[in-house]
Amino acid sequence: MKITDQACHLLDQLLEDEEASCLRLFFAGFGCGEPDIGLTLAEPEADDELHHINSIPVAIDQRITHLTNELIIDGKQTMEGPKFQMFGLPEKDC
């Protein structure tokens, strides 16, 4: 998994502003027969895997760790605030 420098700067500021401990990737249900990944600022849960990626503390739900190997998180600042995108997820057949 990679976090781009742009996303890193945005996440670092958000973690400080929200007084959150880490970025958490979690199982967010199924879409088209494949697991969906959710992204939030939250405390890690008991069965999460903990990592530091590009200086960002990241907790990953064990049910989706196999989906995050090639994942890239990018971000940009918009008029509505920071927006993040995930790339490198497996293709879904819908």
Side-chain angles (χ1 to χ4, degrees):
M1 183 171 138
K2 294 171 96 178
I3 298 175
T4 66
D5 289 342
Q6 179 68 20
C8 179
H9 295 300
L10 294 170
L11 286 166
D12 195 41
Q13 187 63 50
L14 280 173
L15 287 167
E16 184 178 321
D17 292 348
E18 300 294 324
E19 298 179 0
S21 64
C22 68
L23 174 67
R24 183 166 187 271
L25 282 70
F26 61 94
F27 173 71
F30 285 97
C32 301
E34 294 288 330
D36 284 330
I37 296 176
L39 191 66
T40 189
L41 300 178
E43 297 294 319
E45 294 192 3
D47 61 346
D48 287 349
E49 290 187 11
L50 302 175
H51 303 271
H52 273 79
I53 302 168
N54 200 1
S55 79
I56 300 296
V58 180
I60 304 172
D61 184 329
Q62 285 185 352
R63 296 175 289 179
I64 60 160
T65 55
H66 65 286
L67 298 174
T68 62
N69 294 334
E70 302 299 319
L71 187 67
I72 298 170
I73 297 175
D74 194 15
K76 66 180 177 179
Q77 186 66 41
T78 69
M79 296 293 282
E80 295 85 28
K83 300 289 181 192
F84 297 94
Q85 289 184 294
M86 292 185 279
F87 300 98
L89 294 170
E91 295 288 323
K92 294 183 178 187
D93 295 325
C94 294

